[in-house]
Amino acid sequence: MSLPQQDLNLEDAKEQLLEECEGIWKHVEECQNKVTFQEIETLPAPDPKLSLLLHRVKSLTAEFNQWQKRTPEITSTNPDVLIALGKDQLQSLEHDLEMVLSTVHAKNKKLKEDLQREQQWLEEQQQLIECLDRTEKEMSNQVVQFSEKRVFQELKSKMLKIKAYKEEILNALGEFLEKHFPLPEDDGIKKRKTRSSGEQDVQLITLHEILESLISKLINKPHDPYITISNSFWSPYIELLLRYGIALRHSEDPSRIRLENFHQ
C-alpha cells in the first residue's frame, strides 16, 4: 500500500471514529433526559430550589451507579480504525521517547564533560601534592643537617657565656663577701686560727668558702645537699645564713645545714 493510500485510510478512520463518538454522546444525552423527566415531581411550595437540587442529586447518583455497572466497550470494531489509532498513539509515544532520549543524551554529555574536568583537576592536584612532598623531604633533610650544626653551635656558645657569667658572678660575690664579711680580727690581724682548751688549733674558713661548699653540694648531690658544721665554721656566719633564710638546718640533725632551693 502506498503512502497516499495510507493517509487516506487514516482520514477515513478518523471521520468514522468521530461519527461513532457523536452517536454515543447523543445516546447518553437521551438517556439522561429520560431519567430526568421520569423523576420530575411537583415541587413543594415552601422551598422549590432545595427540592430541585435534591432531585438533581438523586438523578446524578442513579446515573453514576448505572455507569459503574457497565463494562467498557471498544469504541470501534473496524480494524482500519484500530490500526490508525494504534499508529497515532505509537507515533506520539515514539516522539515522547525521542525527546526523553535526547534529554538523557544531553545530560550524559554534560556529565562526561564535568567528569573529565574533575579528573583533570584531580590529576593536577595529585601532581602538586607529589611536588610539595618532594620539596618538603628535601627541605626537611637540609633543615635537619643545618639545625643539628646550629643547635650544637648555639649550645656551645651558651655554655661558654654561662661559664663566663658564672665566673664573673663568683668573683663579684667573693669580692663582696671579702669586703663586707671578713674573718674576725684581733688587733687588726685576721684570725685564721682559734685555740680551744685541750684542742689543737682550727683554721676558720670565710663566708665565701662556706657558700661555695653549700652551692657545690647542692649542685653535685641534690639528693643529699647537706654539709656538716665543723669547728672551722665561724658560728656568727652560720647564724646569719640561718636567720636570713639562706641556709636551712636538717630536721633531725641540727649539725647539718643545706642551701635553700632558690632555683625552684
Side-chain angles (χ1 to χ4, degrees), residues 156-175:
K156 186 177 180 180
S157 176
K158 288 180 179 180
M159 290 179 64
L160 294 175
K161 290 180 180 179
I162 291 172
K163 288 182 179 180
Y165 185 64
K166 176 184 175 183
E167 294 295 332
E168 183 180 353
I169 291 178
L170 291 177
N171 293 332
L173 178 62
E175 294 176 358

Side-chain angles (χ1 to χ4, degrees), residues 228-253:
T228 303
I229 301 174
S230 64
N231 293 333
S232 60
F233 288 44
W234 195 37
S235 57
Y237 286 163
I238 301 300
E239 294 297 329
L240 176 68
L241 296 175
L242 294 173
R243 177 173 296 180
Y244 289 99
I246 300 174
L248 299 174
R249 285 190 186 275
H250 195 280
S251 58
E252 298 179 357
D253 187 359

Side-chain angles (χ1 to χ4, degrees), residues 7-20 76 78-85:
D7 295 338
L8 183 59
N9 292 336
L10 181 60
E11 293 295 331
D12 294 340
K14 287 183 178 180
E15 290 179 359
Q16 184 178 355
L17 181 61
L18 290 174
E19 291 177 357
E20 292 180 1
S76 177
N78 189 345
D80 294 333
V81 174
L82 295 177
I83 291 173
L85 289 174

Side-chain angles (χ1 to χ4, degrees), residues 245-263:
I246 300 174
L248 299 174
R249 285 190 186 275
H250 195 280
S251 58
E252 298 179 357
D253 187 359
S255 64
R256 301 179 66 193
I257 61 174
R258 56 162 293 176
L259 188 68
E260 177 63 55
N261 293 326
F262 295 104
H263 62 284

Side-chain angles (χ1 to χ4, degrees), residues 65-81:
N65 294 331
Q66 187 67 24
W67 279 105
Q68 278 190 331
K69 293 177 182 179
R70 294 185 61 181
T71 56
E73 298 179 356
I74 299 177
T75 305
S76 177
T77 57
N78 189 345
D80 294 333
V81 174

